[in-house]
Amino acid sequence: MTRTSFDHPVNELHLDAYNAADVPVALESYLKLATQRLEDIIAIPRQKRTYDNTIQALSDCAEELDMLNHVVDHFSQTLADEWQDQEKLVSEQTSAFYTELGLNLRLYKAVMVVSELRWQLRLDEPRVRLLDDLLADFRRNGIALPAVKRKRIKAIKLELTQLSIDFAQNLLRASEEASLTIIDVKELEGVDTALLAKWAEAAKDKNVEGYFIQYNTPHYQTIMTDCAYKPTRQAMHKLSRSRAKENESIAKRMLALRANMAHILGYANYADYTTERRMAKSGSRAQSFVDELTHAYRQTMLDETKALLVFARQVTGDPTYQIDYTDVDSGFDMYFASQLRKQEFATDTSIRIEEYFSLNQVLDTMFETLHTLYGVRCVEAKEPTYRADVKSYHVFDQDNKHIATVWCDWFARSGKRAGAWQHTVYVADRAQGKVDQPHLAFVCANFPTPTGDQPSLLSILDVETLWHEFGHFMHCALGRTELRDQNGYECAWDFIEAPSQIMENWVWQDEILSKTARHFKTGKALPADYIDKLRASRHFRAASTAMWTLYWSQVDLYLHTHYDASAKIGVNEISRKNKSQLFWHCNCTV
């Protein structure tokens, strides 16, 4: 058998050695291995069937394939290039493997035997729960359907995987190609001089005049919140909202396939299928919940928008100025909201809040807090990595046992997926309390890159994001569930955001803010009165922020309950109509 760079134990990562050209060979090998293990499980005689040789063996049968899938997926999102083609190959074939597994009648019957023997086998509560979850997954996959319908489900799932990959890669590619070139520096009024210098240097590298601004999340936020010149903000907003236009047709196709699958499985719509095993239990209950919150927040949001309009007219000196989507189309403050926030909560206009939140200081405070809360130590490590600016950390518990390792990829760059996320790669066995292997994970973000002697400087929302994503990692790192399949993200779906939400709320506590907010040059603390103002600003335009979450919830529920994907009206038009109904921004008067 041909050796590849992926041939190593699944509880290791060789991030400096992986070769994209090895992926097809490794994929073929691991698919064969997983398939043979499945056949071995199915072949066990009924009288010899146990939990370990059936359920546990099933959980472990494709761990090499899973490892390959995790690594290729991560590299596709952080390095792009040749890894994107490999991601498509691996994701499609991995999805096909698991789809076949979920509709394998012989395997289902083998699992049913263990279920029938659960009392005889004296299964404990975690194993019973895993067994019941597995049987429920079989049923929701359509195991009881006629063969022709099972075949259709397989085809739908495979196509959805292909479309999902295409959608993500189109967006990444479009972001890579998106940029602004600004000639006159006056059109960037309000942007920090250090960033202007960086953009000017980028223009030289591109052999163009002026300032070259590659599209990414930090650059988008800077232009939309700091740039006083509206046409530049409008150009950046258009860049953001018009990327990857080909994804409109992909989205419509995905919606049609999801609706078709839900109907085949006996559900009224895809929302009912998705929420069945979550707290809402049905799409209609989820809709009622969102409607109640929308009603509760909407008037306050409109009042906030009127106040913002008054401020915008004061700033522009134009009594007829109307706020449009380039001013408010976001879940975070754009230009006028950002300026109003500064006016209402700043005590010293000479203070740049980002200068008090350097990445290293934020990390040091977070690690100290984790030690206080959970008794763990986060120690920078020298694990193999794929870029010099990617840092790894070992996490040790109170008994000095190595419980987890995380690789942190913090900075925005060309070819990297937007946003922030946590990705668990390997969950170690904690059966009978043993801790002999660490959990492995990635935490990624798109923070500003260091410039010259200036470190990465974060906004307070970036600080929240960092703690939030690390909270997801700690959910996995601290996991001591006996079964790997019940740790971290394998919990009940409604609980997934709880650890991260708890973590990000610590950011705003007095003790944490006083330690975190230190000037990156002088080490001086952010003045106490400013910290008070900063904390008070947390609830600035809170109703408007909440309404953005509800807006996306309304769109999501509509698309997965009532939308007819065969109709001429597109997904973007549905989104715009919903936005107008909820916000009325463009018609706001005082």
Side-chain angles (χ1 to χ4, degrees):
M1 182 172 60
T2 304
R3 298 283 298 175
T4 74
S5 52
F6 295 92
D7 289 336
H8 58 74
V10 294
N11 63 319
E12 300 175 4
L13 287 177
H14 297 182
L15 296 177
D16 60 342
Y18 294 128
N19 186 342
D22 288 342
V23 170
V25 175
L27 176 62
E28 181 182 9
S29 174
Y30 295 155
L31 280 169
K32 285 183 178 179
L33 181 60
T35 301
Q36 183 57 57
R37 287 172 178 165
L38 278 181
E39 289 300 320
D40 291 344
I41 293 170
I42 292 169
I44 296 171
R46 178 185 177 93
Q47 63 272 21
K48 293 185 178 181
R49 198 165 289 287
T50 66
Y51 178 92
D52 286 340
N53 68 21
T54 303
I55 308 305
Q56 190 61 52
L58 179 57
S59 296
D60 298 339
C61 76
E63 56 182 4
E64 294 87 357
L65 178 63
D66 292 338
M67 178 271 293
L68 177 69
N69 190 31
H70 286 309
V71 171
V72 173
D73 176 65
H74 179 71
F75 279 176
S76 174
Q77 296 183 62
T78 56
L79 298 178
D81 298 330
E82 72 271 23
W83 290 100
Q84 289 191 327
D85 290 336
Q86 304 300 348
E87 182 204 18
K88 192 174 182 66
L89 174 68
V90 173
S91 294
E92 288 176 355
Q93 294 202 30
T94 301
S95 176
F97 170 82
Y98 277 112
T99 299
E100 288 282 350
L101 184 155
L103 288 169
N104 188 314
L105 278 171
R106 294 186 301 152
L107 182 62
Y108 174 65
K109 291 176 181 178
V111 174
M112 282 297 296
V113 170
V114 178
S115 180
E116 293 165 3
L117 297 172
R118 64 176 63 193
W119 302 114
Q120 182 180 330
L121 295 173
R122 298 182 179 180
L123 300 184
D124 59 13
E125 186 176 350
R127 286 167 176 76
V128 168
R129 177 174 175 177
L130 182 60
L131 179 59
D132 287 343
D133 286 344
L134 183 57
L135 290 172
D137 288 339
F138 272 114
R139 289 191 290 270
R140 283 169 54 80
N141 286 334
I143 195 70
L145 294 174
V148 65
K149 291 187 176 181
R150 293 201 306 273
K151 184 177 180 180
R152 176 58 184 155
I153 292 292
K154 290 179 184 179
I156 288 174
K157 288 192 173 185
L158 180 57
E159 187 176 355
L160 282 172
T161 298
Q162 295 169 337
L163 291 171
S164 179
I165 296 168
D166 290 342
F167 189 101
Q169 292 191 354
N170 287 343
L171 188 58
L172 189 60
R173 193 175 301 112
S175 298
E176 175 84 6
E177 296 169 355
S179 63
L180 289 181
T181 300
I182 304 296
I183 304 299
D184 189 347
V185 70
K186 293 180 181 178
E187 296 179 6
L188 292 170
E189 179 187 351
V191 176
D192 179 60
T193 54
L195 193 52
L196 290 176
K198 181 178 178 180
W199 291 344
E201 190 64 32
K204 291 180 182 179
D205 292 341
K206 294 288 184 180
N207 198 28
V208 296
E209 294 184 30
Y211 304 85
F212 180 83
I213 309 168
Q214 174 65 48
Y215 179 85
N216 61 38
T217 303
H219 291 168
Y220 173 79
Q221 292 181 346
T222 294
I223 292 296
M224 301 308 294
T225 59
D226 296 348
C227 183
Y229 190 65
K230 182 164 185 173
T232 301
R233 300 200 304 272
Q234 290 175 320
M236 179 59 82
H237 184 270
K238 182 177 180 180
L239 203 66
S240 171
R241 296 301 186 264
S242 60
R243 291 171 297 146
K245 293 181 180 179
E246 63 272 32
N247 278 352
E248 169 89 8
S249 60
I250 292 178
K252 291 189 71 172
R253 178 59 179 165
M254 291 179 73
L255 288 167
L257 288 170
R258 288 174 178 177
N260 186 205
M261 184 175 73
H263 291 153
I264 292 173
L265 291 170
Y267 298 86
N269 50 60
Y270 189 77
D272 281 354
Y273 170 74
T274 301
T275 58
E276 180 187 42
R277 296 181 69 189
R278 300 181 187 175
M279 289 174 67
K281 301 303 180 188
S282 71
S284 60
R285 288 190 67 191
Q287 185 67 63
S288 295
F289 177 67
V290 171
D291 286 344
E292 288 175 14
L293 289 176
T294 301
H295 177 75
Y297 278 109
R298 192 166 185 275
Q299 185 55 53
T300 304
M301 177 273 296
L302 291 173
D303 293 341
E304 291 173 350
T305 303
K306 289 180 181 179
L308 186 64
L309 179 59
V310 170
F311 176 76
R313 289 176 174 177
Q314 291 173 348
V315 170
T316 61
D318 180 0
T320 64
Y321 186 91
Q322 289 293 327
I323 292 173
D324 64 23
Y325 290 147
T326 64
D327 296 318
V328 292
D329 189 10
S330 174
F332 69 93
D333 292 351
M334 287 200 176
Y335 182 71
F336 290 112
S338 178
Q339 301 306 308
L340 179 57
R341 178 193 286 265
K342 291 177 182 178
Q343 175 178 292
E344 290 191 5
F345 299 105
T347 57
D348 184 346
T349 57
S350 68
I351 288 180
R352 285 191 63 234
I353 186 65
E354 290 84 357
E355 294 182 350
Y356 287 80
F357 292 108
S358 68
L359 175 60
N360 286 340
Q361 180 63 31
V362 173
L363 286 172
D364 287 346
T365 304
M366 183 179 70
F367 292 157
E368 180 183 343
T369 305
L370 290 171
H371 178 68
T372 301
L373 290 174
Y374 306 119
V376 298
R377 292 185 299 114
C378 299
V379 180
E380 187 169 347
K382 299 297 181 182
E383 291 289 339
T385 188
Y386 53 96
R387 283 180 57 91
D389 58 359
V390 174
K391 303 296 184 183
S392 61
Y393 299 90
H394 289 164
V395 182
F396 299 91
D397 67 10
Q398 301 97 318
D399 299 322
N400 206 36
K401 291 181 178 178
H402 181 192
I403 60 173
T405 295
V406 61
W407 285 261
C408 297
D409 188 339
W410 296 125
F411 306 122
R413 61 176 175 273
S414 177
K416 185 179 181 183
R417 166 189 158 190
W421 66 96
Q422 187 271 344
H423 186 168
T424 300
V425 182
Y426 175 77
V427 177
D429 189 0
R430 293 290 184 258
Q432 299 175 341
K434 68 178 180 180
V435 183
D436 58 352
Q437 297 175 1
H439 304 307
L440 306 178
F442 298 112
V443 173
C444 301
N446 275 271
F447 297 144
T449 55
T451 304
D453 61 351
Q454 178 175 294
S456 179
L457 302 178
L458 310 184
S459 70
I460 187 63
L461 293 181
D462 288 335
V463 177
E464 268 194 316
T465 296
L466 191 157
W467 283 59
H468 179 102
E469 298 304 334
F470 219 82
H472 282 306
F473 165 65
M474 293 308 296
H475 183 189
C476 166
L478 295 172
R480 291 182 179 272
T481 57
E482 183 172 352
L483 303 179
R484 291 164 56 183
D485 300 83
Q486 294 170 343
N487 187 32
Y489 285 170
E490 300 303 321
C491 66
W493 188 264
D494 300 283
F495 182 74
I496 283 176
E497 293 298 325
S500 53
Q501 293 286 340
I502 291 170
M503 271 287 287
E504 74 175 58
N505 275 292
W506 281 106
V507 169
W508 296 95
Q509 303 306 307
D510 286 342
E511 184 178 355
I512 306 302
L513 271 178
S514 63
K515 292 178 181 178
T516 305
R518 300 274 174 172
H519 196 277
F520 78 97
K521 287 183 178 179
T522 66
K524 291 183 178 179
L526 189 65
D529 57 347
Y530 205 107
I531 286 181
D532 292 340
K533 292 280 189 177
L534 184 64
R535 187 181 297 102
S537 74
R538 185 184 185 189
H539 302 294
F540 175 68
R541 290 175 51 78
S544 297
T545 301
M547 280 292 288
W548 276 101
T549 300
L550 294 169
Y551 156 65
W552 290 115
S553 300
Q554 293 280 11
V555 171
D556 183 32
L557 282 166
Y558 179 84
L559 292 176
H560 288 100
T561 53
H562 304 299
Y563 179 62
D564 180 2
S566 65
K568 290 184 178 181
I569 185 169
V571 175
N572 283 329
E573 189 174 349
I574 290 291
S575 176
R576 284 192 294 270
K577 285 186 174 182
N578 194 287
K579 189 181 298 178
S580 296
Q581 292 170 359
L582 290 180
F583 289 95
W584 291 352
H585 278 136
C586 296
N587 299 317
C588 184
T589 58
V590 295

